[in-house]
Amino acid sequence: MPTPVVDSDSLRHRFAERFGAPPALVVRAPGRVNLIGEHTDYNDGFVLPVAIDRAVFLAASLRDDRRVILHALDLDATDEFTLETITRAEVGHWSNYQRGVAAVLQAQGYDLPGLNVAFAGTVPVGAGLSSSAAVELAIAWAWCELGELSIERAALALACQRAEHEYVGTQCGIMDQFISALGRRDYALLIDCRSLDYRQVPLPGGADARIVVCDSGVRRELAASAYNERRAQCRQAVELLRARLPGITALRDVTVEGFQAHAEALPAVIRRRARHVITENARALEAVAALENGDLVRFGELMKASHRSLRDDYQVSCAELDTLVEAAWAVEGCYGSRLTGAGFGGCTVSLVDGAAVEAFRQAVSDAYRRKHARTPAIYVCTAENGVGRI
Ligand code: GLA
């Protein structure tokens, strides 16, 4: 295994070793954890993510031709392409993120320079903490700075989302790219995924509550197809409800009361999917109000309700995530806990009183080990700024 490169000094050093001169810049693009508002972004709804202190670090310098030479230090792998005619690498290849970002920015009319690039990260890959969005934003930012492009952060997030749709093939929503672009230290971000308006919501101080992420270690091959299937079911719910609720274009437009009045028009599975999204939007907004009123107990209850809804109605949990969440719920000083990200494996997020973090770590690890004979990775996270030069 190559040595993991986790700080900007060692990254600079490895870049110089590889390319014979120091980089012109080092970029940091954060991963994220979503506090509440799950599977709502592609329904034009509300999400409340946090950019975290696990990130992708990317060193780059200009080339005088139009080639892009990429060195993925964590994989000890190199790849290159030319900006003249960008082609896709094979399905699943790591460089499709950078190829996609380049292709989308060029299609939008930006003139991109060739780059030498080395990158590495501390966001666990495939864990639902958005390592993909971080990789996209990191290279996009390098092109903005070294190519002297002036692109708003929200527009950059949209370009990266498009790259993921067109080059990687995941039909993701906008949450991950948006928070990696626009996160702010000590704040969560309420995003309206229809208008892309957002509001920074202050988080409690570390002594009052910490954000704790538990990684189940479960990685599911089928996650992408199940994700796309959920999206299709949501579209189907809108089609069916439109006959009763004219004018709706997304589940975001349906209130909890409106849904209750017309739920019987939907087949059972579609009804459950819609019920999750519609109640989750309401929970996300209520959770923001609770956070702004300093009511962490209410916030935690909403996290629990979110998990139950994801487990029972949206059906994107799994035994390992349920064990982590239920163990967390039982810890005194844990306000709430739920699966975070797309689900089907990956991580949970918990809000834990600062004084209870060690007891939490112990109790959740013990429960997980007893039931699944493995140890979860547990990270206490801080809320950090979005992508930028360091
Ligand atoms: C993945 C997607 C996001 C979002 C979440 C579920 O992380 O990339 O856009 O849909 O799943 O909330």
Side-chain angles (χ1 to χ4, degrees), residues 267-308:
V269 170
I270 305 297
R271 190 187 313 153
R272 291 164 105 166
R273 305 297 187 250
R275 183 165 57 205
H276 165 71
V277 173
I278 292 162
T279 57
E280 183 76 354
N281 270 327
R283 277 188 292 272
L285 292 177
E286 199 193 332
V288 169
L291 208 51
E292 288 177 335
N293 292 331
D295 189 348
L296 298 183
V297 171
R298 182 66 192 141
F299 191 91
E301 285 167 4
L302 291 161
M303 290 176 87
K304 292 184 195 174
S306 168
H307 184 78
R308 290 196 192 98

Short mmCIF file of all heavy atoms in Angstrom, two decimals, residues 267-308:
data_model
loop_
_atom_site.label_atom_id
_atom_site.label_comp_id
_atom_site.label_asym_id
_atom_site.label_seq_id
_atom_site.Cartn_x
_atom_site.Cartn_y
_atom_site.Cartn_z
N PRO A 267 -49.89 3.29 -5.55
CA PRO A 267 -49.59 1.91 -5.18
C PRO A 267 -48.72 1.89 -3.91
O PRO A 267 -47.98 2.85 -3.66
CB PRO A 267 -48.80 1.37 -6.38
CG PRO A 267 -48.86 2.40 -7.44
CD PRO A 267 -49.33 3.68 -6.85
N ALA A 268 -48.78 0.79 -3.15
CA ALA A 268 -48.18 0.76 -1.81
C ALA A 268 -46.71 1.20 -1.76
O ALA A 268 -46.33 2.02 -0.93
CB ALA A 268 -48.34 -0.63 -1.22
N VAL A 269 -45.88 0.67 -2.67
CA VAL A 269 -44.44 0.99 -2.60
C VAL A 269 -44.21 2.47 -2.92
O VAL A 269 -43.47 3.17 -2.22
CB VAL A 269 -43.63 0.09 -3.56
CG1 VAL A 269 -42.19 0.57 -3.67
CG2 VAL A 269 -43.66 -1.34 -3.07
N ILE A 270 -44.88 2.96 -3.95
CA ILE A 270 -44.72 4.36 -4.34
C ILE A 270 -45.21 5.28 -3.21
O ILE A 270 -44.61 6.33 -2.93
CB ILE A 270 -45.51 4.65 -5.65
CG1 ILE A 270 -45.08 3.68 -6.75
CG2 ILE A 270 -45.35 6.09 -6.11
CD1 ILE A 270 -43.65 3.78 -7.17
N ARG A 271 -46.26 4.85 -2.54
CA ARG A 271 -46.81 5.65 -1.42
C ARG A 271 -45.77 5.79 -0.31
O ARG A 271 -45.56 6.86 0.25
CB ARG A 271 -48.07 4.95 -0.89
CG ARG A 271 -48.86 5.79 0.09
CD ARG A 271 -49.99 4.99 0.73
NE ARG A 271 -50.74 4.25 -0.29
CZ ARG A 271 -51.41 3.12 -0.05
NH1 ARG A 271 -51.45 2.58 1.16
NH2 ARG A 271 -52.04 2.49 -1.03
N ARG A 272 -45.09 4.69 -0.01
CA ARG A 272 -44.07 4.74 1.05
C ARG A 272 -42.93 5.67 0.65
O ARG A 272 -42.42 6.45 1.46
CB ARG A 272 -43.48 3.35 1.30
CG ARG A 272 -44.46 2.41 1.94
CD ARG A 272 -43.95 1.01 1.79
NE ARG A 272 -43.42 0.54 3.07
CZ ARG A 272 -43.17 -0.75 3.28
NH1 ARG A 272 -43.34 -1.64 2.33
NH2 ARG A 272 -42.70 -1.12 4.44
N ARG A 273 -42.48 5.54 -0.60
CA ARG A 273 -41.37 6.40 -1.05
C ARG A 273 -41.76 7.87 -0.95
O ARG A 273 -41.01 8.70 -0.45
CB ARG A 273 -40.99 6.08 -2.51
CG ARG A 273 -40.66 4.62 -2.80
CD ARG A 273 -39.44 4.14 -2.05
NE ARG A 273 -39.08 2.80 -2.48
CZ ARG A 273 -39.21 1.69 -1.74
NH1 ARG A 273 -39.65 1.77 -0.49
NH2 ARG A 273 -38.87 0.52 -2.23
N ALA A 274 -42.98 8.18 -1.42
CA ALA A 274 -43.43 9.57 -1.39
C ALA A 274 -43.58 10.06 0.05
O ALA A 274 -43.19 11.18 0.38
CB ALA A 274 -44.75 9.70 -2.14
N ARG A 275 -44.11 9.18 0.91
CA ARG A 275 -44.31 9.60 2.31
C ARG A 275 -42.97 9.95 2.94
O ARG A 275 -42.84 10.92 3.68
CB ARG A 275 -45.00 8.48 3.10
CG ARG A 275 -45.29 8.87 4.54
CD ARG A 275 -46.27 7.92 5.18
NE ARG A 275 -45.78 6.54 5.10
CZ ARG A 275 -46.57 5.47 5.13
NH1 ARG A 275 -47.89 5.60 5.23
NH2 ARG A 275 -46.05 4.24 5.06
N HIS A 276 -41.93 9.16 2.64
CA HIS A 276 -40.63 9.52 3.19
C HIS A 276 -40.21 10.92 2.76
O HIS A 276 -39.85 11.76 3.57
CB HIS A 276 -39.51 8.54 2.81
CG HIS A 276 -38.16 9.14 3.09
ND1 HIS A 276 -37.69 9.32 4.37
CD2 HIS A 276 -37.25 9.73 2.26
CE1 HIS A 276 -36.53 9.96 4.32
NE2 HIS A 276 -36.24 10.21 3.06
N VAL A 277 -40.25 11.16 1.45
CA VAL A 277 -39.71 12.43 0.94
C VAL A 277 -40.51 13.61 1.49
O VAL A 277 -39.94 14.63 1.92
CB VAL A 277 -39.73 12.43 -0.61
CG1 VAL A 277 -39.34 13.79 -1.16
CG2 VAL A 277 -38.80 11.34 -1.15
N ILE A 278 -41.83 13.47 1.50
CA ILE A 278 -42.68 14.59 1.91
C ILE A 278 -42.51 14.88 3.41
O ILE A 278 -42.36 16.03 3.82
CB ILE A 278 -44.15 14.28 1.53
CG1 ILE A 278 -44.27 14.28 0.00
CG2 ILE A 278 -45.11 15.29 2.16
CD1 ILE A 278 -45.52 13.58 -0.53
N THR A 279 -42.47 13.83 4.23
CA THR A 279 -42.28 14.08 5.67
C THR A 279 -40.84 14.51 5.96
O THR A 279 -40.60 15.31 6.86
CB THR A 279 -42.64 12.83 6.52
OG1 THR A 279 -41.84 11.72 6.08
CG2 THR A 279 -44.11 12.48 6.39
N GLU A 280 -39.89 14.04 5.17
CA GLU A 280 -38.47 14.41 5.40
C GLU A 280 -38.25 15.89 5.12
O GLU A 280 -37.49 16.55 5.82
CB GLU A 280 -37.56 13.53 4.54
CG GLU A 280 -36.06 13.76 4.74
CD GLU A 280 -35.49 13.15 6.03
OE1 GLU A 280 -36.25 12.63 6.87
OE2 GLU A 280 -34.25 13.23 6.21
N ASN A 281 -38.90 16.41 4.09
CA ASN A 281 -38.80 17.85 3.83
C ASN A 281 -39.32 18.64 5.02
O ASN A 281 -38.69 19.63 5.44
CB ASN A 281 -39.61 18.22 2.58
CG ASN A 281 -38.76 18.13 1.32
OD1 ASN A 281 -37.56 18.39 1.35
ND2 ASN A 281 -39.39 17.74 0.23
N ALA A 282 -40.45 18.22 5.56
CA ALA A 282 -41.02 18.92 6.73
C ALA A 282 -40.06 18.80 7.92
O ALA A 282 -39.82 19.79 8.64
CB ALA A 282 -42.38 18.33 7.06
N ARG A 283 -39.48 17.61 8.10
CA ARG A 283 -38.53 17.42 9.21
C ARG A 283 -37.30 18.31 9.06
O ARG A 283 -36.80 18.87 10.03
CB ARG A 283 -38.08 15.95 9.29
CG ARG A 283 -39.03 15.04 10.02
CD ARG A 283 -38.42 13.65 10.23
NE ARG A 283 -38.25 12.93 8.98
CZ ARG A 283 -39.18 12.16 8.42
NH1 ARG A 283 -40.35 12.00 9.00
NH2 ARG A 283 -38.95 11.54 7.28
N ALA A 284 -36.80 18.42 7.84
CA ALA A 284 -35.58 19.21 7.63
C ALA A 284 -35.84 20.67 8.04
O ALA A 284 -35.02 21.28 8.74
CB ALA A 284 -35.13 19.12 6.18
N LEU A 285 -36.98 21.20 7.63
CA LEU A 285 -37.28 22.60 7.98
C LEU A 285 -37.49 22.75 9.48
O LEU A 285 -37.03 23.72 10.09
CB LEU A 285 -38.50 23.09 7.20
CG LEU A 285 -38.27 23.21 5.69
CD1 LEU A 285 -39.56 23.63 4.98
CD2 LEU A 285 -37.15 24.21 5.39
N GLU A 286 -38.16 21.78 10.08
CA GLU A 286 -38.38 21.87 11.53
C GLU A 286 -37.05 21.73 12.27
O GLU A 286 -36.83 22.37 13.30
CB GLU A 286 -39.38 20.79 11.99
CG GLU A 286 -39.97 21.14 13.35
CD GLU A 286 -40.71 20.00 14.02
OE1 GLU A 286 -41.25 19.12 13.31
OE2 GLU A 286 -40.75 20.01 15.27
N ALA A 287 -36.16 20.91 11.74
CA ALA A 287 -34.86 20.71 12.39
C ALA A 287 -34.04 22.01 12.38
O ALA A 287 -33.34 22.33 13.34
CB ALA A 287 -34.09 19.60 11.69
N VAL A 288 -34.14 22.76 11.28
CA VAL A 288 -33.42 24.05 11.22
C VAL A 288 -33.96 24.99 12.29
O VAL A 288 -33.20 25.64 13.02
CB VAL A 288 -33.56 24.67 9.81
CG1 VAL A 288 -33.06 26.10 9.80
CG2 VAL A 288 -32.78 23.83 8.81
N ALA A 289 -35.29 25.02 12.43
CA ALA A 289 -35.89 25.88 13.46
C ALA A 289 -35.40 25.44 14.84
O ALA A 289 -35.04 26.27 15.69
CB ALA A 289 -37.41 25.82 13.37
N ALA A 290 -35.36 24.12 15.07
CA ALA A 290 -34.92 23.61 16.38
C ALA A 290 -33.47 24.03 16.65
O ALA A 290 -33.13 24.50 17.74
CB ALA A 290 -35.06 22.09 16.42
N LEU A 291 -32.62 23.91 15.63
CA LEU A 291 -31.20 24.27 15.80
C LEU A 291 -31.09 25.77 16.10
O LEU A 291 -30.33 26.18 16.97
CB LEU A 291 -30.46 23.92 14.50
CG LEU A 291 -28.99 23.59 14.58
CD1 LEU A 291 -28.71 22.52 15.62
CD2 LEU A 291 -28.49 23.11 13.20
N GLU A 292 -31.86 26.55 15.37
CA GLU A 292 -31.80 28.00 15.58
C GLU A 292 -32.34 28.41 16.95
O GLU A 292 -31.95 29.43 17.49
CB GLU A 292 -32.50 28.73 14.42
CG GLU A 292 -31.65 28.62 13.16
CD GLU A 292 -32.26 29.23 11.89
OE1 GLU A 292 -33.50 29.32 11.81
OE2 GLU A 292 -31.49 29.58 10.98
N ASN A 293 -33.22 27.58 17.52
CA ASN A 293 -33.73 27.86 18.87
C ASN A 293 -32.90 27.18 19.95
O ASN A 293 -33.28 27.17 21.11
CB ASN A 293 -35.18 27.34 19.02
CG ASN A 293 -36.12 28.13 18.16
OD1 ASN A 293 -35.89 29.31 17.89
ND2 ASN A 293 -37.18 27.48 17.67
N GLY A 294 -31.82 26.53 19.56
CA GLY A 294 -30.97 25.84 20.53
C GLY A 294 -31.63 24.60 21.12
O GLY A 294 -31.23 24.12 22.17
N ASP A 295 -32.65 24.06 20.43
CA ASP A 295 -33.37 22.91 20.96
C ASP A 295 -32.79 21.61 20.37
O ASP A 295 -33.34 21.02 19.44
CB ASP A 295 -34.86 23.06 20.61
CG ASP A 295 -35.73 22.03 21.31
OD1 ASP A 295 -35.17 21.07 21.88
OD2 ASP A 295 -36.97 22.18 21.27
N LEU A 296 -31.68 21.16 20.97
CA LEU A 296 -31.00 19.98 20.43
C LEU A 296 -31.81 18.71 20.67
O LEU A 296 -31.69 17.74 19.92
CB LEU A 296 -29.61 19.85 21.05
CG LEU A 296 -28.66 21.00 20.74
CD1 LEU A 296 -27.29 20.72 21.34
CD2 LEU A 296 -28.54 21.24 19.25
N VAL A 297 -32.61 18.71 21.73
CA VAL A 297 -33.43 17.53 22.00
C VAL A 297 -34.42 17.31 20.86
O VAL A 297 -34.54 16.20 20.32
CB VAL A 297 -34.15 17.67 23.36
CG1 VAL A 297 -35.17 16.56 23.56
CG2 VAL A 297 -33.11 17.67 24.49
N ARG A 298 -35.08 18.38 20.44
CA ARG A 298 -36.02 18.26 19.32
C ARG A 298 -35.27 17.88 18.03
O ARG A 298 -35.73 17.06 17.25
CB ARG A 298 -36.77 19.59 19.13
CG ARG A 298 -37.80 19.58 18.03
CD ARG A 298 -38.97 18.63 18.35
NE ARG A 298 -39.81 18.38 17.18
CZ ARG A 298 -40.34 17.20 16.87
NH1 ARG A 298 -40.14 16.14 17.64
NH2 ARG A 298 -41.10 17.06 15.81
N PHE A 299 -34.12 18.50 17.84
CA PHE A 299 -33.33 18.19 16.64
C PHE A 299 -33.04 16.68 16.61
O PHE A 299 -33.19 16.02 15.57
CB PHE A 299 -32.02 18.99 16.65
CG PHE A 299 -31.28 18.92 15.35
CD1 PHE A 299 -31.51 19.86 14.36
CD2 PHE A 299 -30.36 17.91 15.11
CE1 PHE A 299 -30.85 19.77 13.14
CE2 PHE A 299 -29.68 17.83 13.90
CZ PHE A 299 -29.93 18.77 12.91
N GLY A 300 -32.64 16.15 17.76
CA GLY A 300 -32.31 14.72 17.85
C GLY A 300 -33.52 13.84 17.57
O GLY A 300 -33.41 12.80 16.89
N GLU A 301 -34.69 14.25 18.05
CA GLU A 301 -35.91 13.46 17.78
C GLU A 301 -36.19 13.42 16.28
O GLU A 301 -36.61 12.40 15.74
CB GLU A 301 -37.12 14.09 18.49
CG GLU A 301 -37.15 13.84 19.97
CD GLU A 301 -38.16 14.73 20.70
OE1 GLU A 301 -38.91 15.50 20.04
OE2 GLU A 301 -38.19 14.66 21.93
N LEU A 302 -35.96 14.54 15.63
CA LEU A 302 -36.20 14.59 14.18
C LEU A 302 -35.21 13.69 13.44
O LEU A 302 -35.56 13.06 12.44
CB LEU A 302 -36.13 16.04 13.69
CG LEU A 302 -37.31 16.89 14.19
CD1 LEU A 302 -36.97 18.38 14.09
CD2 LEU A 302 -38.59 16.59 13.41
N MET A 303 -33.97 13.63 13.94
CA MET A 303 -32.99 12.70 13.32
C MET A 303 -33.49 11.26 13.45
O MET A 303 -33.39 10.47 12.50
CB MET A 303 -31.62 12.82 14.00
CG MET A 303 -30.89 14.12 13.72
SD MET A 303 -29.35 14.19 14.68
CE MET A 303 -28.22 13.35 13.55
N LYS A 304 -34.00 10.94 14.63
CA LYS A 304 -34.50 9.56 14.82
C LYS A 304 -35.66 9.28 13.88
O LYS A 304 -35.73 8.20 13.26
CB LYS A 304 -34.98 9.36 16.27
CG LYS A 304 -33.87 9.38 17.28
CD LYS A 304 -34.42 9.09 18.67
CE LYS A 304 -33.38 9.47 19.72
NZ LYS A 304 -33.85 9.37 21.10
N ALA A 305 -36.59 10.22 13.78
CA ALA A 305 -37.75 10.01 12.90
C ALA A 305 -37.28 9.88 11.45
O ALA A 305 -37.82 9.09 10.67
CB ALA A 305 -38.72 11.18 13.05
N SER A 306 -36.25 10.62 11.09
CA SER A 306 -35.70 10.54 9.73
C SER A 306 -35.17 9.13 9.48
O SER A 306 -35.42 8.53 8.43
CB SER A 306 -34.59 11.58 9.58
OG SER A 306 -33.87 11.34 8.40
N HIS A 307 -34.44 8.59 10.45
CA HIS A 307 -33.90 7.24 10.24
C HIS A 307 -35.03 6.22 10.07
O HIS A 307 -34.97 5.37 9.18
CB HIS A 307 -32.97 6.81 11.37
CG HIS A 307 -32.37 5.46 11.08
ND1 HIS A 307 -31.33 5.30 10.20
CD2 HIS A 307 -32.72 4.21 11.49
CE1 HIS A 307 -31.05 4.01 10.08
NE2 HIS A 307 -31.87 3.33 10.85
N ARG A 308 -36.05 6.32 10.93
CA ARG A 308 -37.15 5.33 10.83
C ARG A 308 -37.81 5.40 9.47
O ARG A 308 -38.15 4.39 8.87
CB ARG A 308 -38.20 5.61 11.92
CG ARG A 308 -37.69 5.29 13.30
CD ARG A 308 -38.84 5.21 14.30
NE ARG A 308 -38.30 5.19 15.63
CZ ARG A 308 -38.20 6.26 16.42
NH1 ARG A 308 -38.66 7.43 16.02
NH2 ARG A 308 -37.67 6.14 17.61
#
